[in-house]
Amino acid sequence: MSKHSIPLAGVIGNPVAHSLSPRLHGHWLQRYGITGHYVPLTVHPDDLVEALGAMGRMGFVGANVTIPHKETVLRLADQVTDRATLIGAANTLTFRPDGTIFADNTDGYGFIENLRQNAVDWDPRSGPAAVVGAGGAARAVVVALLDAGVPEIRLTNRTRLRADQLKSEFGGRIVVYDWAHMNGMLNGATTLVNTTSMGMEGQPPLKINLDELDPKALVTDIVYTPLKTPLLALAQDYGYQTVDGLGMLLHQAVPGFQRWFGHRPEVDDELRNVVLG
């Protein structure tokens, strides 16, 4: 990209109209006085190869990637970070001046940074973490928790096979529980994470009994519509510390913005309010 052109970035998905990323990155561009644009890009799976090939030539410096392209872009990138390879998906692409594409996954980073910012005394090493769900988001969360030093991850998923697959990939610190025995896996756990869509607007709540959690446990949900999910409301009634899922979305955007626009942005209350509209 020549020094005379305006840097562009965007979010690639199908559908993508609901994405909060343009609002998020748009706020940062304005706040830091950076000349640049961030736009939603609806790209059909059949057109993905062509679209990615053209973006660098059109002045794009980067893009976020959402459903259904997060796995496919891994195969199309020229260079992939270790964490994106481990998770099996990418959410952040950088288009380099030499025409190559660099792929990363910042979901796990966003997950951990959200907890560090909003639960300052959270210590991942203090005890087992219980994780509900074994889909794409769970993979990012599991990798991040293992990285942060959690001694044991107790994992449950409606179809046990997916949880068993995660265990076979990520190994010894993961213990799989049957969905029917979900409450049992909370015994003494110091972190509880819901990575499923249960509790999201229009979805049934996660039915779970929080009696057995460690009294100092942290409960978090990666869903942020509503901000206070039934799980978080229940955890607050019990007196557990809670962190909502919006911060994960905000923090996962930081590394991409910094790479593309050359400024490390801040995640604060002002940003939360802008994104919530």
Side-chain angles (χ1 to χ4, degrees), residues 65-211:
V65 185
T66 185
I67 293 163
H69 304 311
K70 291 174 83 160
E71 286 84 25
T72 318
V73 292
L74 272 195
R75 299 196 296 274
L76 301 175
D78 300 285
Q79 192 187 349
V80 179
T81 61
D82 290 348
R83 61 186 178 184
T85 303
L86 265 176
I87 294 164
N91 72 337
T92 307
L93 302 179
T94 304
F95 300 103
R96 291 169 160 163
D98 64 1
T100 59
I101 299 173
F102 173 72
D104 191 9
N105 191 311
T106 64
D107 283 332
Y109 164 86
F111 169 76
I112 293 287
E113 287 302 306
N114 181 34
L115 298 189
R116 294 213 159 116
Q117 182 177 40
N118 295 298
V120 282
D121 50 359
W122 177 66
D123 179 6
R125 293 159 309 203
S126 64
V131 176
V132 181
R139 293 178 67 90
V141 165
V142 164
V143 168
L145 287 172
L146 289 173
D147 251 8
V150 167
E152 178 182 277
I153 293 180
R154 299 166 180 177
L155 187 63
T156 190
N157 192 56
R158 242 182 298 200
T159 34
R160 180 166 173 139
L161 182 65
R162 291 188 83 164
D164 286 334
Q165 279 167 341
L166 278 192
K167 179 175 170 61
S168 69
E169 275 181 77
F170 299 127
R173 279 189 279 164
I174 296 180
V175 183
V176 175
Y177 283 72
D178 272 328
W179 188 256
H181 303 144
M182 187 193 301
N183 293 333
M185 77 171 183
L186 301 189
N187 191 345
T190 54
T191 310
L192 168 61
V193 189
N194 174 36
T195 72
T196 73
S197 61
M198 297 175 91
M200 201 169 168
E201 274 160 20
Q203 299 284 337
L206 177 67
K207 288 192 166 57
I208 194 165
N209 180 340
L210 303 182
D211 287 340

Side-chain angles (χ1 to χ4, degrees), residues 45-60:
D46 295 345
D47 302 324
L48 185 62
V49 174
E50 206 178 340
L52 290 178
M55 285 173 74
R57 297 196 295 275
M58 290 163 63
F60 278 86

Side-chain angles (χ1 to χ4, degrees), residues 243-268:
V243 174
D244 68 54
L246 182 64
M248 178 175 169
L249 171 79
L250 307 181
H251 281 284
Q252 63 78 31
V254 169
F257 188 92
Q258 184 174 11
R259 246 174 241 149
W260 308 328
F261 299 112
H263 185 97
R264 186 169 180 83
E266 265 178 88
V267 173
D268 55 16

Side-chain angles (χ1 to χ4, degrees), residues 1 5-9 54-62:
M1 195 176 76
S5 54
I6 293 171
L8 306 175
M55 285 173 74
R57 297 196 295 275
M58 290 163 63
F60 278 86
V61 289

